[in-house]
Amino acid sequence: MITILAGGTGSVKLVRGLISQTRDVNVICNVGDNYWLYGLYVCPDIDTIIYGLADILDYEKGWGIRKDTFGFLRQMEIFGEETWFRIGDRDAATHLIRTNMLKNGKNLADITKWMCEKFAVEAKVMPVTDNTIETRITTNKGEMHLQEFWVKYKGKDKVEGIQYIGADKARPNPEAVNAIHDSEMVVIAPGNPLTSIGPMLQIKGIRKELAKNRRKVVAVSPILGTKAFSGPAAEYMQAAGIDVSPYGIAQMYSDVCGSIVIDSKDRLLTKKIQNLDMKVYDTSIKMTNKISEDALASFVLKNARV
């Protein structure tokens, strides 16, 4: 059994690759960027994973459902509502059903399991916690939710800090803890280390379980050279005083992770990372199509497994 901690567009690519190699996969999803919009509870990372595994994800955008329509949003615009968060019509149905189930007493873990059944997704997809965590970005223009910073304002403001509201009190999903404990390998996906993976590592029970099983935990770097593959990861890392490099990623994860996969172009950092008591493997980590997704997943499974 393989477990992967996932969040963001880089994660779904590796998740899809892993499932092409082995069917017994657990996916623990970030909830820090969940967002209430129009009275609907939106879970971007959970939905991206489910849509990706159901083969309906819009891969060009990296989110939402392929060939979705936007009549709902056009009507909201007529009503004078803000429409910067692009919810498609089929996507809105997911959020509406989830919100109704929450109001009827279901927890997020049970709802996610039900959603997987409806979308015929065989992998076990689960939220890292049923509690609320909110990733908030402090900028030179004030504090705001991650979605507002990145989607509404397009990440243009200078990042001064990141907070994970509620993470210190959040109880880990017991199924997530058990998955980490029982798996022969735990993979930290190449998601944004501070906003996709960071909120999960801020949950004490998750970090403790990963640290206990450190030797079987492997991270895949989201950084090649001094640049992130996508999104504002580099900007967040700079704001947090973290070196924007695979070495900086290794430092961030060193207490919970025994191995890291970096790009072959960064192999000069191998010795430096090994000094953190981490094993280092290098290959091409750029995932541009299904072939490269499968190749990276195969490399991770064959080389980094304890």
Side-chain angles (χ1 to χ4, degrees), residues 162-199:
I162 300 175
Q163 298 180 71
Y164 308 103
I165 308 299
D168 57 334
K169 296 177 182 175
R171 297 182 62 187
N173 180 349
E175 288 193 15
V177 174
N178 290 339
I180 293 168
H181 180 271
D182 295 341
S183 291
E184 57 183 297
M185 170 185 272
V186 179
V187 180
I188 298 178
N192 188 309
L194 285 162
T195 56
S196 295
I197 306 300

Side-chain angles (χ1 to χ4, degrees), residues 271-283:
K271 274 240 184 303
K272 196 175 178 183
I273 297 172
Q274 287 173 336
N275 288 336
L276 298 171
D277 189 28
M278 295 177 75
K279 294 179 180 177
V280 183
Y281 305 92
D282 69 82
T283 186

Side-chain angles (χ1 to χ4, degrees), residues 84-137:
W84 53 267
F85 199 97
R86 305 293 294 169
I87 292 179
D89 297 333
R90 292 174 66 194
D91 194 24
T94 298
H95 311 319
L96 178 61
I97 290 292
R98 177 190 292 118
T99 305
N100 283 339
M101 292 177 79
L102 284 169
K103 288 179 178 177
N104 287 323
K106 295 285 187 183
N107 63 37
L108 188 57
D110 289 340
I111 296 167
T112 303
K113 193 179 294 182
W114 181 85
M115 288 277 186
C116 286
E117 291 172 3
K118 291 298 177 183
F119 283 103
V121 170
E122 294 180 11
K124 293 173 187 164
V125 182
M126 63 192 80
V128 69
T129 179
D130 285 319
N131 302 130
T132 299
I133 298 176
E134 189 174 313
T135 301
R136 296 192 67 81
I137 310 297

Side-chain angles (χ1 to χ4, degrees), residues 18-299:
L18 286 172
I19 285 176
S20 75
Q21 309 293 314
T22 175
R23 292 293 171 188
D24 199 2
V25 177
N26 299 302
V27 187
I28 302 174
C29 290
N30 171 46
V31 299
D33 57 357
N34 292 2
Y35 192 69
W36 284 96
L37 187 71
Y38 312 135
L40 304 176
Y41 193 51
V42 183
C43 301
D45 286 350
I46 291 173
D47 294 341
T48 296
I49 292 296
I50 291 176
Y51 294 163
L53 296 183
D55 198 26
I56 60 172
L57 181 69
D58 188 328
Y59 272 96
E60 283 188 22
K61 292 190 182 84
W63 49 268
I65 294 175
R66 188 168 57 246
K67 295 183 180 178
D68 208 346
T69 52
F70 292 87
F72 169 77
L73 265 193
R74 283 194 292 274
Q75 190 62 41
M76 293 302 283
E77 197 168 24
I78 290 170
F79 289 144
E81 295 290 330
E82 292 186 334
T83 56
W84 53 267
F85 199 97
R86 305 293 294 169
I87 292 179
D89 297 333
R90 292 174 66 194
D91 194 24
T94 298
H95 311 319
L96 178 61
I97 290 292
R98 177 190 292 118
T99 305
N100 283 339
M101 292 177 79
L102 284 169
K103 288 179 178 177
N104 287 323
K106 295 285 187 183
N107 63 37
L108 188 57
D110 289 340
I111 296 167
T112 303
K113 193 179 294 182
W114 181 85
M115 288 277 186
C116 286
E117 291 172 3
K118 291 298 177 183
F119 283 103
V121 170
E122 294 180 11
K124 293 173 187 164
V125 182
M126 63 192 80
V128 69
T129 179
D130 285 319
N131 302 130
T132 299
I133 298 176
E134 189 174 313
T135 301
R136 296 192 67 81
I137 310 297
T138 303
T139 75
N140 58 329
K141 293 184 181 176
E143 184 186 300
M144 61 192 78
H145 191 283
L146 169 66
Q147 299 297 353
E148 295 169 331
F149 169 78
W150 182 237
V151 183
K152 185 176 184 178
Y153 298 112
K154 304 187 186 307
K156 291 178 180 176
D157 300 324
K158 183 182 177 184
V159 179
E160 296 179 348
I162 300 175
Q163 298 180 71
Y164 308 103
I165 308 299
D168 57 334
K169 296 177 182 175
R171 297 182 62 187
N173 180 349
E175 288 193 15
V177 174
N178 290 339
I180 293 168
H181 180 271
D182 295 341
S183 291
E184 57 183 297
M185 170 185 272
V186 179
V187 180
I188 298 178
N192 188 309
L194 285 162
T195 56
S196 295
I197 306 300
M200 295 191 276
L201 299 185
Q202 289 296 313
I203 301 172
K204 292 173 186 173
I206 295 295
R207 192 166 203 118
K208 182 180 177 182
E209 194 62 34
L210 287 168
K212 276 166 53 180
N213 292 277
R214 180 181 179 275
R215 66 180 187 85
K216 67 181 183 184
V217 181
V218 55
V220 177
S221 176
I223 302 289
L224 198 166
T226 58
K227 293 181 179 178
F229 286 108
S230 64
E235 190 177 356
Y236 293 151
M237 289 173 72
Q238 286 172 343
I242 299 164
D243 185 44
V244 183
S245 70
Y247 177 70
I249 297 294
Q251 282 183 305
M252 284 184 67
Y253 295 159
S254 60
D255 65 318
V256 297
C257 190
S259 305
I260 186 169
V261 178
I262 65 174
D263 197 90
S264 298
K265 293 176 182 176
D266 292 320
R267 62 163 60 111
L268 288 175
L269 293 171
T270 297
K271 274 240 184 303
K272 196 175 178 183
I273 297 172
Q274 287 173 336
N275 288 336
L276 298 171
D277 189 28
M278 295 177 75
K279 294 179 180 177
V280 183
Y281 305 92
D282 69 82
T283 186
S284 174
I285 61 173
K286 197 168 185 179
M287 293 178 284
T288 55
N289 52 39
K290 193 170 188 312
I291 293 171
S292 53
E293 290 171 9
D294 294 353
L296 179 57
S298 177
F299 179 89

